[in-house]
Amino acid sequence: MSAAVEDNGDFPVPETHVLAVASHVVFGYVGNTIAVSVMQALGCEVAALNTVQYSNHTGYKQWRGTKTSAEEIRDHYEGLKHNYLSDFDLMLTGYIPTAEAVAAVGTIARDLKLKASIRPGSFFWALDPVMGDNGQLYIDEAVVPAYKALLPHVDMIVPNQFEAELLSDAKITSLETLSSAVSTLHRTYRIPHIIVTSVRFDAASPTFSLVGSTARSDFSARIFRIEFPAIDCQFQGTGDMFAALILVRLREAVLSPSSPSDSTTSSSSSSDPSSHSPSQAQQPQCRTALRTTKSWMSPDDVRAAALPLATAAKKVLASMQAILARTKAYYDRSLNDMATTLQQESSSEKRLHLRRTRAAEVQLVRNTRFLLYPPSPSAAVKDRPSTVVKEGEEGEEEEEKEVGDEKKKEKDEGEGPTYRIVEV
């Protein structure tokens, strides 16, 4: 579809058609069930090709349903082609249960990329290689090499820390080893964009990190890191939610002119406007050319902190933290309301697990406003950034009270924390 400038209304992107290939559950929010909802909330037209049909996600430890065979996946796509319904701008692939099905999805993606090859930048494929987490595989080991075979064809991968280890064949134990793994993936498979989720090297750490990179023309890495607070709750589907959000928000960043703060000279280590010439400080980096650039790869002189991927990641984290914080509040209220029942069922570990798992389902429907409008940490003090004083710190008392009152009001409406991009 055309990426021409148009009135997007309340949505962050112009008319956008997405093929989403992932799991489906009747109850809850994982796989396509959450990814499709997220992208539709952002204004995308989404065609869902489901790789499994389950009653509920596997975190409940019991479920019913069937897997979609590789032949059925191919057949569904052929049906779309025969009816001229395969004009997609984006493709998002998530959980795929077998190596044969992974290969079938790869064939679909390559067909779409070939069709779009005469118009660079008109099609973008994001692969979420859902294989496992916390050192545990969810799938058969044969799926790992099947995913590796797809990597030279993707535009972006969104693995978690464990999946990044599987794809790079490297143990990740520190930021240095993670950076090395990202560099290896860029150079070995020529992957344009990589963003690694759920990064934490110490299980006791109160924070997680997001580590991303857009390759330069020689496929060297430009790595940035964003740290965010961990929320003490066992969520499911957050990886699927993140992949859907980052894909759409990246398209938004690519199709929109950058802000002055996104200039090629920007860096986390310097925020003083006087350190740049007027033309550098005030002239926005023009991203218009990215629309027609293969895989939306930024010019080599764009710093990691100024990448469209980094801009998109900040918005995604703001949206997700707001929704997950409310999910955690719902979880706590639910368990409190069930306190008597839980005591009565204390002898039934299975029933306790089922109740807690249901309470932790992502509360998406009643919080979709945070998808469209990510909470802005500076909104309460806009135009006066120098007056921000954190609660409990020393400062001008009158000013602190004014800012504090404004921030409290903003927080009630969904203000999020500040996410600082650090170049690695």
Side-chain angles (χ1 to χ4, degrees), residues 126-159:
L127 170 67
D128 180 5
V130 182
M131 296 183 287
D133 200 5
N134 298 317
Q136 180 180 359
L137 277 174
Y138 300 151
I139 41 81
D140 186 84
E141 291 183 359
V143 174
V144 179
Y147 269 124
K148 288 182 177 180
L150 302 186
L151 296 183
H153 308 285
V154 304
D155 297 299
M156 177 170 67
I157 60 170
V158 192

PDB file of all heavy atoms in Angstrom, residues 126-159:
ATOM      1  N   ALA A 126       8.913  -8.333  10.277  1.00  0.00           N
ATOM      2  CA  ALA A 126       9.434  -8.457  11.636  1.00  0.00           C
ATOM      3  C   ALA A 126       9.200  -9.874  12.135  1.00  0.00           C
ATOM      4  O   ALA A 126       8.075 -10.369  12.109  1.00  0.00           O
ATOM      5  CB  ALA A 126       8.752  -7.455  12.559  1.00  0.00           C
ATOM      6  N   LEU A 127      10.255 -10.506  12.597  1.00  0.00           N
ATOM      7  CA  LEU A 127      10.202 -11.890  13.076  1.00  0.00           C
ATOM      8  C   LEU A 127      10.435 -11.934  14.579  1.00  0.00           C
ATOM      9  O   LEU A 127      11.488 -11.512  15.069  1.00  0.00           O
ATOM     10  CB  LEU A 127      11.264 -12.732  12.359  1.00  0.00           C
ATOM     11  CG  LEU A 127      11.518 -14.140  12.902  1.00  0.00           C
ATOM     12  CD1 LEU A 127      10.300 -15.032  12.683  1.00  0.00           C
ATOM     13  CD2 LEU A 127      12.747 -14.767  12.264  1.00  0.00           C
ATOM     14  N   ASP A 128       9.449 -12.429  15.303  1.00  0.00           N
ATOM     15  CA  ASP A 128       9.593 -12.702  16.733  1.00  0.00           C
ATOM     16  C   ASP A 128       9.831 -14.209  16.854  1.00  0.00           C
ATOM     17  O   ASP A 128       8.898 -14.998  16.743  1.00  0.00           O
ATOM     18  CB  ASP A 128       8.330 -12.286  17.475  1.00  0.00           C
ATOM     19  CG  ASP A 128       8.415 -12.543  18.978  1.00  0.00           C
ATOM     20  OD1 ASP A 128       9.487 -12.965  19.453  1.00  0.00           O
ATOM     21  OD2 ASP A 128       7.396 -12.340  19.672  1.00  0.00           O
ATOM     22  N   PRO A 129      11.075 -14.623  17.055  1.00  0.00           N
ATOM     23  CA  PRO A 129      11.403 -16.056  17.038  1.00  0.00           C
ATOM     24  C   PRO A 129      11.028 -16.735  18.359  1.00  0.00           C
ATOM     25  O   PRO A 129      11.885 -17.036  19.189  1.00  0.00           O
ATOM     26  CB  PRO A 129      12.914 -16.071  16.816  1.00  0.00           C
ATOM     27  CG  PRO A 129      13.375 -14.808  17.497  1.00  0.00           C
ATOM     28  CD  PRO A 129      12.270 -13.798  17.321  1.00  0.00           C
ATOM     29  N   VAL A 130       9.759 -16.979  18.549  1.00  0.00           N
ATOM     30  CA  VAL A 130       9.269 -17.512  19.820  1.00  0.00           C
ATOM     31  C   VAL A 130       9.745 -18.952  19.990  1.00  0.00           C
ATOM     32  O   VAL A 130       9.232 -19.870  19.350  1.00  0.00           O
ATOM     33  CB  VAL A 130       7.736 -17.441  19.889  1.00  0.00           C
ATOM     34  CG1 VAL A 130       7.240 -17.964  21.238  1.00  0.00           C
ATOM     35  CG2 VAL A 130       7.256 -16.018  19.664  1.00  0.00           C
ATOM     36  N   MET A 131      10.725 -19.134  20.856  1.00  0.00           N
ATOM     37  CA  MET A 131      11.293 -20.470  21.068  1.00  0.00           C
ATOM     38  C   MET A 131      11.383 -20.852  22.537  1.00  0.00           C
ATOM     39  O   MET A 131      11.406 -22.032  22.874  1.00  0.00           O
ATOM     40  CB  MET A 131      12.693 -20.551  20.433  1.00  0.00           C
ATOM     41  CG  MET A 131      12.702 -20.402  18.923  1.00  0.00           C
ATOM     42  SD  MET A 131      14.358 -20.583  18.215  1.00  0.00           S
ATOM     43  CE  MET A 131      15.119 -19.030  18.718  1.00  0.00           C
ATOM     44  N   GLY A 132      11.452 -19.862  23.417  1.00  0.00           N
ATOM     45  CA  GLY A 132      11.594 -20.176  24.834  1.00  0.00           C
ATOM     46  C   GLY A 132      11.952 -18.948  25.638  1.00  0.00           C
ATOM     47  O   GLY A 132      12.010 -17.835  25.123  1.00  0.00           O
ATOM     48  N   ASP A 133      12.213 -19.157  26.917  1.00  0.00           N
ATOM     49  CA  ASP A 133      12.563 -18.065  27.814  1.00  0.00           C
ATOM     50  C   ASP A 133      13.187 -18.653  29.072  1.00  0.00           C
ATOM     51  O   ASP A 133      12.938 -19.816  29.415  1.00  0.00           O
ATOM     52  CB  ASP A 133      11.321 -17.243  28.168  1.00  0.00           C
ATOM     53  CG  ASP A 133      11.654 -15.859  28.687  1.00  0.00           C
ATOM     54  OD1 ASP A 133      12.842 -15.494  28.685  1.00  0.00           O
ATOM     55  OD2 ASP A 133      10.720 -15.132  29.080  1.00  0.00           O
ATOM     56  N   ASN A 134      14.014 -17.858  29.721  1.00  0.00           N
ATOM     57  CA  ASN A 134      14.634 -18.271  30.990  1.00  0.00           C
ATOM     58  C   ASN A 134      15.306 -19.633  30.891  1.00  0.00           C
ATOM     59  O   ASN A 134      15.203 -20.462  31.793  1.00  0.00           O
ATOM     60  CB  ASN A 134      13.581 -18.281  32.096  1.00  0.00           C
ATOM     61  CG  ASN A 134      12.992 -16.911  32.350  1.00  0.00           C
ATOM     62  OD1 ASN A 134      13.716 -15.920  32.386  1.00  0.00           O
ATOM     63  ND2 ASN A 134      11.683 -16.845  32.516  1.00  0.00           N
ATOM     64  N   GLY A 135      15.982 -19.864  29.766  1.00  0.00           N
ATOM     65  CA  GLY A 135      16.740 -21.101  29.594  1.00  0.00           C
ATOM     66  C   GLY A 135      15.933 -22.320  29.223  1.00  0.00           C
ATOM     67  O   GLY A 135      16.477 -23.426  29.158  1.00  0.00           O
ATOM     68  N   GLN A 136      14.647 -22.159  28.938  1.00  0.00           N
ATOM     69  CA  GLN A 136      13.773 -23.301  28.647  1.00  0.00           C
ATOM     70  C   GLN A 136      13.150 -23.167  27.261  1.00  0.00           C
ATOM     71  O   GLN A 136      12.543 -22.148  26.931  1.00  0.00           O
ATOM     72  CB  GLN A 136      12.665 -23.399  29.699  1.00  0.00           C
ATOM     73  CG  GLN A 136      11.717 -24.566  29.473  1.00  0.00           C
ATOM     74  CD  GLN A 136      10.629 -24.632  30.518  1.00  0.00           C
ATOM     75  OE1 GLN A 136      10.591 -23.802  31.439  1.00  0.00           O
ATOM     76  NE2 GLN A 136       9.736 -25.598  30.401  1.00  0.00           N
ATOM     77  N   LEU A 137      13.277 -24.229  26.443  1.00  0.00           N
ATOM     78  CA  LEU A 137      12.673 -24.242  25.118  1.00  0.00           C
ATOM     79  C   LEU A 137      11.182 -24.533  25.205  1.00  0.00           C
ATOM     80  O   LEU A 137      10.746 -25.391  25.970  1.00  0.00           O
ATOM     81  CB  LEU A 137      13.330 -25.314  24.232  1.00  0.00           C
ATOM     82  CG  LEU A 137      14.633 -24.959  23.514  1.00  0.00           C
ATOM     83  CD1 LEU A 137      15.190 -26.196  22.821  1.00  0.00           C
ATOM     84  CD2 LEU A 137      14.412 -23.840  22.499  1.00  0.00           C
ATOM     85  N   TYR A 138      10.391 -23.811  24.381  1.00  0.00           N
ATOM     86  CA  TYR A 138       8.967 -24.098  24.271  1.00  0.00           C
ATOM     87  C   TYR A 138       8.687 -25.061  23.121  1.00  0.00           C
ATOM     88  O   TYR A 138       7.594 -25.629  23.039  1.00  0.00           O
ATOM     89  CB  TYR A 138       8.173 -22.820  23.962  1.00  0.00           C
ATOM     90  CG  TYR A 138       8.268 -21.710  24.969  1.00  0.00           C
ATOM     91  CD1 TYR A 138       8.124 -20.389  24.570  1.00  0.00           C
ATOM     92  CD2 TYR A 138       8.477 -21.967  26.325  1.00  0.00           C
ATOM     93  CE1 TYR A 138       8.181 -19.344  25.483  1.00  0.00           C
ATOM     94  CE2 TYR A 138       8.534 -20.938  27.240  1.00  0.00           C
ATOM     95  CZ  TYR A 138       8.390 -19.620  26.810  1.00  0.00           C
ATOM     96  OH  TYR A 138       8.454 -18.594  27.719  1.00  0.00           O
ATOM     97  N   ILE A 139       9.633 -25.184  22.233  1.00  0.00           N
ATOM     98  CA  ILE A 139       9.398 -25.879  20.965  1.00  0.00           C
ATOM     99  C   ILE A 139      10.407 -27.022  20.783  1.00  0.00           C
ATOM    100  O   ILE A 139      11.351 -27.179  21.561  1.00  0.00           O
ATOM    101  CB  ILE A 139       9.502 -24.892  19.783  1.00  0.00           C
ATOM    102  CG1 ILE A 139      10.680 -23.910  19.969  1.00  0.00           C
ATOM    103  CG2 ILE A 139       8.234 -24.074  19.661  1.00  0.00           C
ATOM    104  CD1 ILE A 139      12.010 -24.402  19.613  1.00  0.00           C
ATOM    105  N   ASP A 140      10.215 -27.811  19.746  1.00  0.00           N
ATOM    106  CA  ASP A 140      11.153 -28.867  19.416  1.00  0.00           C
ATOM    107  C   ASP A 140      12.474 -28.248  18.960  1.00  0.00           C
ATOM    108  O   ASP A 140      12.502 -27.192  18.312  1.00  0.00           O
ATOM    109  CB  ASP A 140      10.572 -29.745  18.301  1.00  0.00           C
ATOM    110  CG  ASP A 140      11.445 -30.946  18.020  1.00  0.00           C
ATOM    111  OD1 ASP A 140      11.310 -31.957  18.729  1.00  0.00           O
ATOM    112  OD2 ASP A 140      12.288 -30.864  17.098  1.00  0.00           O
ATOM    113  N   GLU A 141      13.576 -28.904  19.284  1.00  0.00           N
ATOM    114  CA  GLU A 141      14.893 -28.363  18.941  1.00  0.00           C
ATOM    115  C   GLU A 141      15.076 -28.144  17.450  1.00  0.00           C
ATOM    116  O   GLU A 141      15.863 -27.292  17.027  1.00  0.00           O
ATOM    117  CB  GLU A 141      15.987 -29.296  19.469  1.00  0.00           C
ATOM    118  CG  GLU A 141      16.106 -29.310  20.991  1.00  0.00           C
ATOM    119  CD  GLU A 141      17.251 -30.179  21.474  1.00  0.00           C
ATOM    120  OE1 GLU A 141      17.946 -30.783  20.610  1.00  0.00           O
ATOM    121  OE2 GLU A 141      17.458 -30.256  22.691  1.00  0.00           O
ATOM    122  N   ALA A 142      14.335 -28.875  16.624  1.00  0.00           N
ATOM    123  CA  ALA A 142      14.467 -28.738  15.167  1.00  0.00           C
ATOM    124  C   ALA A 142      13.998 -27.373  14.677  1.00  0.00           C
ATOM    125  O   ALA A 142      14.343 -26.953  13.550  1.00  0.00           O
ATOM    126  CB  ALA A 142      13.670 -29.843  14.470  1.00  0.00           C
ATOM    127  N   VAL A 143      13.220 -26.677  15.498  1.00  0.00           N
ATOM    128  CA  VAL A 143      12.723 -25.360  15.099  1.00  0.00           C
ATOM    129  C   VAL A 143      13.840 -24.321  15.097  1.00  0.00           C
ATOM    130  O   VAL A 143      13.814 -23.359  14.321  1.00  0.00           O
ATOM    131  CB  VAL A 143      11.563 -24.922  16.014  1.00  0.00           C
ATOM    132  CG1 VAL A 143      11.127 -23.502  15.712  1.00  0.00           C
ATOM    133  CG2 VAL A 143      10.375 -25.871  15.856  1.00  0.00           C
ATOM    134  N   VAL A 144      14.854 -24.493  15.942  1.00  0.00           N
ATOM    135  CA  VAL A 144      15.931 -23.503  16.051  1.00  0.00           C
ATOM    136  C   VAL A 144      16.665 -23.332  14.724  1.00  0.00           C
ATOM    137  O   VAL A 144      16.780 -22.198  14.223  1.00  0.00           O
ATOM    138  CB  VAL A 144      16.900 -23.870  17.192  1.00  0.00           C
ATOM    139  CG1 VAL A 144      18.035 -22.841  17.265  1.00  0.00           C
ATOM    140  CG2 VAL A 144      16.165 -23.950  18.527  1.00  0.00           C
ATOM    141  N   PRO A 145      17.178 -24.403  14.079  1.00  0.00           N
ATOM    142  CA  PRO A 145      17.829 -24.204  12.782  1.00  0.00           C
ATOM    143  C   PRO A 145      16.860 -23.719  11.705  1.00  0.00           C
ATOM    144  O   PRO A 145      17.275 -23.028  10.764  1.00  0.00           O
ATOM    145  CB  PRO A 145      18.391 -25.590  12.442  1.00  0.00           C
ATOM    146  CG  PRO A 145      17.662 -26.548  13.309  1.00  0.00           C
ATOM    147  CD  PRO A 145      17.323 -25.800  14.543  1.00  0.00           C
ATOM    148  N   ALA A 146      15.590 -24.067  11.827  1.00  0.00           N
ATOM    149  CA  ALA A 146      14.606 -23.590  10.850  1.00  0.00           C
ATOM    150  C   ALA A 146      14.486 -22.059  10.937  1.00  0.00           C
ATOM    151  O   ALA A 146      14.384 -21.374   9.905  1.00  0.00           O
ATOM    152  CB  ALA A 146      13.253 -24.244  11.110  1.00  0.00           C
ATOM    153  N   TYR A 147      14.505 -21.524  12.157  1.00  0.00           N
ATOM    154  CA  TYR A 147      14.480 -20.067  12.318  1.00  0.00           C
ATOM    155  C   TYR A 147      15.766 -19.441  11.778  1.00  0.00           C
ATOM    156  O   TYR A 147      15.734 -18.390  11.135  1.00  0.00           O
ATOM    157  CB  TYR A 147      14.296 -19.691  13.781  1.00  0.00           C
ATOM    158  CG  TYR A 147      12.865 -19.516  14.208  1.00  0.00           C
ATOM    159  CD1 TYR A 147      12.332 -20.239  15.277  1.00  0.00           C
ATOM    160  CD2 TYR A 147      12.029 -18.615  13.557  1.00  0.00           C
ATOM    161  CE1 TYR A 147      11.010 -20.068  15.672  1.00  0.00           C
ATOM    162  CE2 TYR A 147      10.713 -18.439  13.948  1.00  0.00           C
ATOM    163  CZ  TYR A 147      10.203 -19.181  15.001  1.00  0.00           C
ATOM    164  OH  TYR A 147       8.898 -19.010  15.388  1.00  0.00           O
ATOM    165  N   LYS A 148      16.898 -20.061  12.050  1.00  0.00           N
ATOM    166  CA  LYS A 148      18.167 -19.518  11.566  1.00  0.00           C
ATOM    167  C   LYS A 148      18.175 -19.407  10.049  1.00  0.00           C
ATOM    168  O   LYS A 148      18.752 -18.466   9.487  1.00  0.00           O
ATOM    169  CB  LYS A 148      19.333 -20.390  12.041  1.00  0.00           C
ATOM    170  CG  LYS A 148      19.639 -20.264  13.520  1.00  0.00           C
ATOM    171  CD  LYS A 148      20.849 -21.122  13.889  1.00  0.00           C
ATOM    172  CE  LYS A 148      21.214 -20.964  15.358  1.00  0.00           C
ATOM    173  NZ  LYS A 148      22.394 -21.787  15.727  1.00  0.00           N
ATOM    174  N   ALA A 149      17.508 -20.335   9.375  1.00  0.00           N
ATOM    175  CA  ALA A 149      17.449 -20.308   7.915  1.00  0.00           C
ATOM    176  C   ALA A 149      16.666 -19.101   7.393  1.00  0.00           C
ATOM    177  O   ALA A 149      16.858 -18.675   6.243  1.00  0.00           O
ATOM    178  CB  ALA A 149      16.825 -21.601   7.394  1.00  0.00           C
ATOM    179  N   LEU A 150      15.790 -18.550   8.225  1.00  0.00           N
ATOM    180  CA  LEU A 150      15.003 -17.399   7.810  1.00  0.00           C
ATOM    181  C   LEU A 150      15.729 -16.069   8.020  1.00  0.00           C
ATOM    182  O   LEU A 150      15.376 -15.063   7.402  1.00  0.00           O
ATOM    183  CB  LEU A 150      13.680 -17.343   8.585  1.00  0.00           C
ATOM    184  CG  LEU A 150      12.728 -18.533   8.492  1.00  0.00           C
ATOM    185  CD1 LEU A 150      11.428 -18.199   9.216  1.00  0.00           C
ATOM    186  CD2 LEU A 150      12.449 -18.907   7.051  1.00  0.00           C
ATOM    187  N   LEU A 151      16.713 -16.050   8.902  1.00  0.00           N
ATOM    188  CA  LEU A 151      17.315 -14.791   9.335  1.00  0.00           C
ATOM    189  C   LEU A 151      17.876 -13.925   8.202  1.00  0.00           C
ATOM    190  O   LEU A 151      17.759 -12.696   8.258  1.00  0.00           O
ATOM    191  CB  LEU A 151      18.400 -15.058  10.379  1.00  0.00           C
ATOM    192  CG  LEU A 151      17.916 -15.677  11.703  1.00  0.00           C
ATOM    193  CD1 LEU A 151      19.077 -15.813  12.684  1.00  0.00           C
ATOM    194  CD2 LEU A 151      16.794 -14.841  12.321  1.00  0.00           C
ATOM    195  N   PRO A 152      18.483 -14.500   7.134  1.00  0.00           N
ATOM    196  CA  PRO A 152      18.999 -13.633   6.069  1.00  0.00           C
ATOM    197  C   PRO A 152      17.913 -12.881   5.304  1.00  0.00           C
ATOM    198  O   PRO A 152      18.230 -11.972   4.522  1.00  0.00           O
ATOM    199  CB  PRO A 152      19.715 -14.626   5.145  1.00  0.00           C
ATOM    200  CG  PRO A 152      20.034 -15.805   6.001  1.00  0.00           C
ATOM    201  CD  PRO A 152      18.879 -15.908   6.940  1.00  0.00           C
ATOM    202  N   HIS A 153      16.660 -13.236   5.515  1.00  0.00           N
ATOM    203  CA  HIS A 153      15.573 -12.638   4.749  1.00  0.00           C
ATOM    204  C   HIS A 153      14.743 -11.631   5.549  1.00  0.00           C
ATOM    205  O   HIS A 153      13.927 -10.918   4.972  1.00  0.00           O
ATOM    206  CB  HIS A 153      14.644 -13.734   4.226  1.00  0.00           C
ATOM    207  CG  HIS A 153      15.356 -14.821   3.486  1.00  0.00           C
ATOM    208  ND1 HIS A 153      15.847 -14.656   2.206  1.00  0.00           N
ATOM    209  CD2 HIS A 153      15.699 -16.088   3.848  1.00  0.00           C
ATOM    210  CE1 HIS A 153      16.439 -15.770   1.807  1.00  0.00           C
ATOM    211  NE2 HIS A 153      16.370 -16.648   2.791  1.00  0.00           N
ATOM    212  N   VAL A 154      14.933 -11.574   6.861  1.00  0.00           N
ATOM    213  CA  VAL A 154      14.088 -10.720   7.694  1.00  0.00           C
ATOM    214  C   VAL A 154      14.593  -9.282   7.688  1.00  0.00           C
ATOM    215  O   VAL A 154      15.754  -9.009   7.371  1.00  0.00           O
ATOM    216  CB  VAL A 154      14.015 -11.241   9.150  1.00  0.00           C
ATOM    217  CG1 VAL A 154      13.522 -12.679   9.185  1.00  0.00           C
ATOM    218  CG2 VAL A 154      15.356 -11.102   9.853  1.00  0.00           C
ATOM    219  N   ASP A 155      13.708  -8.359   8.059  1.00  0.00           N
ATOM    220  CA  ASP A 155      14.098  -6.961   8.231  1.00  0.00           C
ATOM    221  C   ASP A 155      14.384  -6.643   9.694  1.00  0.00           C
ATOM    222  O   ASP A 155      15.200  -5.774   9.982  1.00  0.00           O
ATOM    223  CB  ASP A 155      12.979  -6.045   7.726  1.00  0.00           C
ATOM    224  CG  ASP A 155      12.726  -6.216   6.239  1.00  0.00           C
ATOM    225  OD1 ASP A 155      13.651  -5.972   5.443  1.00  0.00           O
ATOM    226  OD2 ASP A 155      11.608  -6.624   5.868  1.00  0.00           O
ATOM    227  N   MET A 156      13.721  -7.352  10.591  1.00  0.00           N
ATOM    228  CA  MET A 156      13.931  -7.114  12.025  1.00  0.00           C
ATOM    229  C   MET A 156      13.618  -8.381  12.799  1.00  0.00           C
ATOM    230  O   MET A 156      12.683  -9.111  12.452  1.00  0.00           O
ATOM    231  CB  MET A 156      13.015  -5.975  12.523  1.00  0.00           C
ATOM    232  CG  MET A 156      13.105  -5.712  14.031  1.00  0.00           C
ATOM    233  SD  MET A 156      12.250  -4.189  14.554  1.00  0.00           S
ATOM    234  CE  MET A 156      10.535  -4.612  14.236  1.00  0.00           C
ATOM    235  N   ILE A 157      14.402  -8.655  13.823  1.00  0.00           N
ATOM    236  CA  ILE A 157      14.088  -9.742  14.747  1.00  0.00           C
ATOM    237  C   ILE A 157      13.888  -9.165  16.145  1.00  0.00           C
ATOM    238  O   ILE A 157      14.504  -8.161  16.509  1.00  0.00           O
ATOM    239  CB  ILE A 157      15.163 -10.849  14.778  1.00  0.00           C
ATOM    240  CG1 ILE A 157      16.532 -10.302  15.199  1.00  0.00           C
ATOM    241  CG2 ILE A 157      15.237 -11.563  13.436  1.00  0.00           C
ATOM    242  CD1 ILE A 157      17.557 -11.405  15.475  1.00  0.00           C
ATOM    243  N   VAL A 158      12.992  -9.824  16.899  1.00  0.00           N
ATOM    244  CA  VAL A 158      12.631  -9.349  18.239  1.00  0.00           C
ATOM    245  C   VAL A 158      12.742 -10.513  19.228  1.00  0.00           C
ATOM    246  O   VAL A 158      11.741 -10.956  19.797  1.00  0.00           O
ATOM    247  CB  VAL A 158      11.205  -8.759  18.242  1.00  0.00           C
ATOM    248  CG1 VAL A 158      10.946  -7.998  19.544  1.00  0.00           C
ATOM    249  CG2 VAL A 158      10.978  -7.839  17.062  1.00  0.00           C
ATOM    250  N   PRO A 159      13.953 -11.039  19.445  1.00  0.00           N
ATOM    251  CA  PRO A 159      14.100 -12.147  20.390  1.00  0.00           C
ATOM    252  C   PRO A 159      14.190 -11.657  21.820  1.00  0.00           C
ATOM    253  O   PRO A 159      14.546 -10.501  22.077  1.00  0.00           O
ATOM    254  CB  PRO A 159      15.434 -12.771  19.961  1.00  0.00           C
ATOM    255  CG  PRO A 159      16.237 -11.595  19.485  1.00  0.00           C
ATOM    256  CD  PRO A 159      15.234 -10.660  18.840  1.00  0.00           C
TER     257      PRO A 159
END
